[in-house]
Amino acid sequence: MSDVSDVSGAGDDAPGATGRTGQGSSAGAGAGAEAQGGAQTGAEARAGAGEGRAAVFADAASGRRARVVLVDDHRMFRTGVQAEIGQTERTGVEVVGEAADVDQAVTVITATRPEVVLLDVHLPGGGGVEVLRRCAPLMADAEQPVRFLALSVSDAAEDVIGVIRGGARGYVTKTITGTDLVDSIFRVQDGDAVFSPRLAGFVLDAFASTDAPPVDEDLDRLTQREREVLRLIARGYAYKEIAKQLFISVKTVESHVSAVLRKLQLSNRHELTRWATARRLV
């Protein structure tokens, strides 16, 4: 049985910005096939695992690649995951960076623009939710979105729901096998939502019990990019900082701000900030 489910709709060091090739097995990401096999014989379990690897690694054989950043405050765990999934010719996964805390994570993710970030929930500097908040513009990029898959030892409902509300596309625990983790990475890259089976229920229950938010006609007038600029302006960013965050020119930022002010019938950025704060968009 697979370690992940598909649900629709829903600092101990200072690592560099490039991955390292390790030789050890993953600390929690590489449980053996025999351990999963239950009553299977060792030979049967190994055969089943071989079939699973062949299916998952077909992506690698076809030349498909996923660029990944590992964010976890335990260096040994990062090294294990790197060894388990980072053999690019075999798995199709290229580890392009690592980080051990929130600031490092934002720096490396912004610099490398990976397709997928494997994100621990509990990190020095504010946790995975803070990384998601600060990387919101990268997630919203329509042409080259950065997608997040939480990979954590925690299976607490509040942790799962927190990072999903923050924008992560899925959540798997560190008991996942290397094969299933590679599969999850490619599925998240494709825009799917992926969860360990027990955790999917937390998300479904949480969102089923939440009333749909009322439609804000004023906000609906804005494009996605205008909303991103609006939030950053309301948070006090200068035009140059916004341009750098969104990988656009300062002139483009100015154009978006003018469009937002016109559509919302506001006069200046101070009124805009009050407007955004009143709607809890900051």
Side-chain angles (χ1 to χ4, degrees), residues 56-68 85-96 113-116 147 182 185-190:
V56 171
F57 298 154
D59 283 313
S62 70
R64 185 178 180 188
R65 295 290 182 265
R67 299 170 66 257
V68 172
I85 71 172
Q87 300 174 33
T88 307
E89 294 304 315
R90 181 174 67 91
T91 65
V93 174
E94 179 187 1
V95 178
V96 297
R113 297 298 292 268
E115 281 85 26
V116 179
R147 296 189 169 103
V182 170
I185 288 169
F186 280 110
R187 286 161 64 186
V188 167
Q189 182 186 24
D190 288 338

Side-chain angles (χ1 to χ4, degrees), residues 137-166:
L138 302 181
M139 288 189 282
D141 189 326
E143 295 182 359
Q144 189 183 351
V146 176
R147 296 189 169 103
F148 287 77
L149 173 63
L151 175 62
S152 178
V153 69
S154 171
D155 61 0
E158 58 268 25
D159 287 336
V160 178
I161 295 166
V163 295
I164 297 305
R165 289 192 184 280

Side-chain angles (χ1 to χ4, degrees), residues 56-244:
V56 171
F57 298 154
D59 283 313
S62 70
R64 185 178 180 188
R65 295 290 182 265
R67 299 170 66 257
V68 172
V69 165
L70 306 178
V71 180
D72 194 287
D73 61 342
H74 292 95
R75 183 178 60 183
M76 289 184 64
F77 180 77
R78 293 197 312 272
T79 300
V81 173
Q82 163 79 348
E84 187 75 17
I85 71 172
Q87 300 174 33
T88 307
E89 294 304 315
R90 181 174 67 91
T91 65
V93 174
E94 179 187 1
V95 178
V96 297
E98 300 181 15
D101 60 34
V102 169
D103 287 342
Q104 289 176 13
V106 174
T107 298
V108 173
I109 293 166
T110 302
T112 60
R113 297 298 292 268
E115 281 85 26
V116 179
V117 177
L118 294 180
L119 179 68
D120 195 10
V121 174
H122 301 293
L123 294 167
V129 172
E130 178 64 13
V131 175
L132 291 165
R133 186 188 71 79
R134 290 169 61 179
C135 290
L138 302 181
M139 288 189 282
D141 189 326
E143 295 182 359
Q144 189 183 351
V146 176
R147 296 189 169 103
F148 287 77
L149 173 63
L151 175 62
S152 178
V153 69
S154 171
D155 61 0
E158 58 268 25
D159 287 336
V160 178
I161 295 166
V163 295
I164 297 305
R165 289 192 184 280
R169 294 294 305 172
Y171 194 117
V172 294
T173 61
K174 290 182 178 179
T175 57
I176 193 171
T177 66
T179 302
D180 279 339
L181 183 56
V182 170
D183 179 51
S184 298
I185 288 169
F186 280 110
R187 286 161 64 186
V188 167
Q189 182 186 24
D190 288 338
D192 293 340
V194 181
F195 300 89
S196 293
R198 195 171 77 86
L199 307 185
F202 294 158
V203 179
L204 292 174
D205 290 345
F207 284 91
S209 63
T210 302
D211 294 333
V215 174
D216 188 325
E217 294 182 359
D218 289 333
L219 189 60
D220 282 350
R221 294 192 185 100
L222 306 182
T223 66
Q224 182 62 42
R225 179 64 88 187
E226 287 168 352
R227 294 185 192 192
E228 294 168 8
V229 172
L230 164 65
R231 290 188 177 94
L232 293 173
I233 285 287
R235 289 172 185 166
Y237 284 76
Y239 285 1
K240 288 184 179 180
E241 294 172 323
I242 296 173
K244 184 177 179 180

